[in-house]
Amino acid sequence: MIDQRLINYMQEELKRTPLEFKRYMYDKILWHDRLVGLVGPRGVGKSTMVKQYMLQNNQNSDWMYVSADHSYFSDHSLSELADEFIKEGGKHIIIDEIHKLQNWSQSLKEIYDSHSQLQVIFTGSSILDIKKGMVDLSRRALIFEMQGLSFREYLALYHKINLPVYSLSDILDLKVDIPLDFHPLPLFRKFLKEGYYPFSHLPGYDIRLQQIISQTIEVDIPAFAGLNLSTTRKLKKLLSVISSTAPFKPSVINLASELKISKNDVSEHMLFLEKAGMLAQVRDDTGGMRGIGKVEKVFVDNTNLMYALISEDPNIGTQRETFFFNQMRVNNDVMTSKTGDFRIKDYVFEIGGKNKGRKQISELKQGIVVKDDIEFGQKGIIPLWHFGLNY
């Protein structure tokens, strides 16, 4: 028999799961595969999404939802639960926050290899893929990664303003169409400060965001990277240095000296922070692929984190660049440009306020000026907020 504590917990969790709004990844995940993983930074809505899927497909009693931090797992293994669930006629099991289980990857492999009739869906921290466990699962699992809200999703979730997804081509061709009485700029400014995470409507948003930062640096990264307390302090200091100077032009030698660590450790620590959703690293076009080239700029991952990490209001220019990169990276390879701020495909983007000119990109046929504080665009000039409608 399945432990009644797990049944009660599942029922309570499903009762509290909203169905009205679904994140952009919901229709992109190949839900019917035998082993499906959804990873991403803390707080972006992974748990809600898998519970929504279960609610919409749980027509029989052959589904099970568990969280890896449930007390049941203090004296039971995941494999034991799977064995018992199969005996009860179970066919689909969802394991939330699997990163909280020891030997999680080995357990998943055992379940996958032993129970061909059982489908497993799991969620985990995006830092998981720096560990060998995720590599070992790569032949078995389909892994999908999710980020925080787009401006488009924020408008739909909190303000009931429903706009379609616009591709980069749509945005550049000025195809964005908005209701006549909709003025996006006040909501856009609010989104920059407190709209990226799906829990921004809850009381104490600032406190919750600080908790995410602390848990990520003090628990998630050390657990998966095998770091000690001393190194955790250095991660905090590194994040603090970058948040106060972003966009940060990485000088590995200077950072190594300031943090009293090796140059190799600097790059590794920055990668950990990037994977965990704390930093965003923009690379050049070496090799022609995102993630391959040399890191040229480092930002705080999103504008909400900027406000949480910096005591005063963040620099507006940095906010604009952070927003552009954060929103466009989901569906595009965004790289640095020698003549502008960013490059996507053959387009070079220069980002600024409403008075931003074309001087820096004047000789480029496919140079685009991205302006904040404007509602509508014209040829070669695109409102910054339009780029938040890309997913």
Side-chain angles (χ1 to χ4, degrees):
M1 292 285 292
I2 300 296
D3 192 308
Q4 189 61 42
R5 293 175 300 165
L6 293 179
I7 302 297
N8 295 341
Y9 175 80
M10 174 179 66
Q11 291 174 343
E12 286 300 315
E13 285 292 308
L14 294 177
K15 279 182 192 175
R16 295 197 295 265
T17 301
L19 289 173
E20 296 79 18
F21 176 82
K22 296 182 178 64
R23 292 295 318 280
Y24 75 102
M25 281 300 299
Y26 190 90
D27 293 326
K28 294 185 177 184
I29 294 174
L30 302 179
W31 292 105
H32 298 295
D33 200 73
R34 272 186 62 202
L35 184 57
V36 177
L38 178 61
V39 301
R42 279 181 177 263
V44 297
K46 303 183 297 295
S47 300
T48 298
M49 182 180 292
V50 294
K51 286 182 283 188
Q52 286 176 332
Y53 182 73
M54 178 175 173
L55 280 169
Q56 295 211 314
N57 292 273
N58 184 19
Q59 298 176 359
N60 304 301
S61 58
D62 55 5
W63 282 79
M64 181 88 189
Y65 168 85
V66 296
S67 178
D69 62 356
H70 194 282
S71 59
Y72 168 88
F73 292 108
S74 62
D75 53 3
H76 295 85
S77 69
L78 184 57
S79 296
E80 287 179 76
L81 175 60
D83 290 342
E84 194 64 44
F85 186 51
I86 286 286
K87 292 174 186 175
E88 297 291 327
K91 295 180 181 178
H92 312 272
I93 187 167
I94 294 175
I95 308 148
D96 204 2
E97 299 190 287
I98 199 166
H99 54 273
K100 294 185 178 179
L101 286 177
Q102 288 189 339
N103 302 316
W104 58 270
S105 62
Q106 183 61 39
S107 295
L108 283 182
K109 285 190 289 184
E110 288 176 2
I111 293 169
Y112 183 91
D113 294 339
S114 302
H115 302 297
S116 60
Q117 69 274 42
L118 180 66
Q119 183 199 29
V120 177
I121 299 171
F122 65 92
T123 74
S125 167
S126 53
I127 201 73
L128 282 176
D129 66 2
I130 68 169
K131 292 293 285 181
K132 185 174 182 294
M134 191 62 86
V135 176
D136 289 344
L137 284 173
S138 61
R139 298 186 306 275
R140 299 171 172 86
L142 289 180
I143 308 297
F144 299 87
E145 186 165 2
M146 186 164 77
Q147 299 295 326
L149 294 174
S150 66
F151 182 50
R152 186 194 70 84
E153 290 181 299
Y154 166 80
L155 292 174
L157 179 59
Y158 295 123
H159 301 285
K160 309 307 176 188
I161 299 170
N162 295 296
L163 300 176
V165 173
Y166 289 97
S167 68
L168 175 61
S169 297
D170 292 335
I171 294 169
L172 297 182
D173 290 340
L174 302 173
K175 292 183 179 179
V176 172
D177 186 27
I178 62 174
L180 290 175
D181 59 347
F182 173 49
H183 299 286
L185 296 181
L187 295 179
F188 178 63
R189 296 185 192 105
K190 189 174 182 181
F191 170 81
L192 294 179
K193 189 172 184 178
E194 52 183 41
Y196 184 67
Y197 295 91
F199 57 87
S200 62
H201 64 293
L202 297 176
Y205 179 65
D206 293 345
I207 297 172
R208 294 173 192 273
L209 204 48
Q210 291 293 342
Q211 289 172 340
I212 280 182
I213 295 169
S214 297
Q215 288 289 309
T216 299
I217 294 178
E218 296 172 8
V219 179
D220 293 351
I221 296 177
F224 300 119
L227 304 181
N228 56 33
L229 182 60
S230 173
T231 308
T232 301
R233 295 193 191 102
K234 291 174 181 177
L235 281 174
K236 288 183 178 179
K237 187 173 182 180
L238 176 59
L239 184 60
S240 175
V241 168
I242 292 173
S243 63
S244 62
T245 56
F248 183 81
K249 173 70 174 177
S251 171
V252 173
I253 294 176
N254 291 344
L255 283 174
S257 175
E258 184 167 350
L259 298 175
K260 296 179 173 55
I261 57 179
S262 72
K263 291 187 293 182
N264 289 340
D265 284 344
V266 169
S267 298
E268 189 176 66
H269 291 358
M270 289 175 69
L271 179 62
F272 293 162
L273 289 168
E274 179 184 32
K275 289 291 186 182
M278 294 287 104
L279 293 182
Q281 301 191 85
V282 193
R283 295 165 172 84
D284 63 20
D285 59 358
T286 304
M289 291 179 62
R290 175 177 49 186
I292 299 296
K294 176 185 175 184
V295 174
E296 292 290 338
K297 289 182 182 179
V298 182
F299 294 90
V300 175
D301 182 79
N302 61 78
T303 57
N304 288 196
L305 282 180
M306 291 177 69
Y307 278 93
L309 290 166
I310 302 172
S311 55
E312 65 276 358
D313 283 352
N315 176 273
I316 185 61
T318 305
Q319 286 188 65
R320 291 164 178 159
E321 290 188 38
T322 300
F323 169 81
F324 180 92
F325 180 67
N326 171 272
Q327 298 282 286
M328 294 307 292
R329 69 183 177 184
V330 171
N331 289 324
N332 305 274
D333 285 335
V334 186
M335 292 170 280
T336 59
S337 168
K338 293 182 174 63
T339 51
D341 290 317
F342 299 102
R343 184 171 74 81
I344 302 176
K345 299 178 180 176
D346 294 327
Y347 294 96
V348 173
F349 298 86
E350 183 67 15
I351 299 167
K354 62 182 178 181
N355 296 320
K356 183 71 177 180
R358 295 187 56 86
K359 182 177 179 181
Q360 191 165 339
I361 57 172
S362 59
E363 297 183 4
L364 299 177
K365 290 182 179 180
Q366 293 179 302
I368 306 295
V369 177
V370 179
K371 292 189 177 187
D372 195 4
D373 301 319
I374 64 172
E375 285 191 353
F376 304 100
Q378 54 185 292
K379 185 171 181 171
I381 299 175
I382 309 294
L384 177 61
W385 70 269
H386 281 196
F387 294 91
L389 307 178
N390 191 231
Y391 69 93

